[in-house]
Amino acid sequence: MASRKLTDIIRDVEAKVDLFQEVLLTKIAQNVVSNSPVDTGAYVNSFNFSTGRDSRKRATSSEGRPKMDESEAKGQALDNLMGDIKELPKDGKVYLNNRAPHARLVEDGNAAPGDHRWRRDGYKVFAKLDMSMPQLFEEALQEVGTK
C-alpha cells in the first residue's frame, strides 16, 4: 500500500487552491471584458483586481479620448487584468474594481431623471458577472480538479 506524507498532501491541496484562484479570476476577467462596451476604451481599461489597498491604479476618463478599436481595447484590458492576477497575494480578499469616472453610467445607464450624459440603458457588466458566478465557479472547480 502506498503512503504519502501529510505535508505532501497539504502541499498538493495548497497548490490546487492557488491554481483555483488564478483560474477563477481569469474567468472573471474574461467575463467582464467580453461584456464591456468599447467606445474610447476608457471603461474596459479601468478594471483592476486589487486587495483593496491599490484599487485606483487604473481610472481612465473617456473625456477627450479618441475612439478605440474594440478588439485592441479588450485585448489590452485583459492583459492588464492578467497582470493584476499574477501580482495578487495567494491569500486574503480580492476585489474587482472599475474606477472610470463614468463607470456607474456604463453599468446603470441614465438612471437619474434629467441626466442626459447617457442616452441608453446600462450594460450591467457587474450584474451579468454576478449572475455568471455560479457557472464560472463550477467551471474553475472542474478545470482545477482535472489537473
Side-chain angles (χ1 to χ4, degrees), residues 125-145:
V125 176
F126 281 94
K128 289 175 184 174
L129 174 63
D130 286 345
M131 290 187 308
S132 299
M133 280 307 296
Q135 178 184 347
L136 298 178
F137 188 90
E138 184 62 35
E139 288 173 4
L141 200 55
Q142 288 177 6
E143 192 171 321
V144 170

Side-chain angles (χ1 to χ4, degrees), residues 73-139:
K74 288 185 175 191
Q76 185 179 69
L78 192 55
D79 287 347
N80 289 339
L81 289 169
M82 296 307 293
D84 292 347
I85 292 167
K86 298 269 185 250
E87 294 174 9
L88 289 169
K90 297 298 181 191
D91 59 351
K93 292 183 180 182
V94 175
Y95 299 90
L96 174 66
N97 307 289
N98 189 309
R99 299 291 186 215
H102 58 297
R104 180 61 52 204
L105 287 173
V106 173
E107 181 70 13
D108 297 330
N110 187 7
D115 186 347
H116 301 292
R117 294 178 292 167
W118 199 258
R119 294 175 186 80
R120 67 169 318 259
D121 292 336
Y123 286 89
K124 305 293 186 193
V125 176
F126 281 94
K128 289 175 184 174
L129 174 63
D130 286 345
M131 290 187 308
S132 299
M133 280 307 296
Q135 178 184 347
L136 298 178
F137 188 90
E138 184 62 35
E139 288 173 4

Side-chain angles (χ1 to χ4, degrees), residues 11-39:
R11 195 173 300 118
D12 289 348
V13 169
E14 287 173 341
K16 283 202 178 222
V17 169
D18 291 347
L19 180 58
F20 177 79
Q21 175 178 313
E22 183 177 339
V23 170
L24 180 60
L25 292 177
T26 298
K27 289 181 177 300
I28 290 170
Q30 292 166 336
N31 182 283
V32 297
V33 167
S34 69
N35 285 318
S36 292
V38 173
D39 183 28

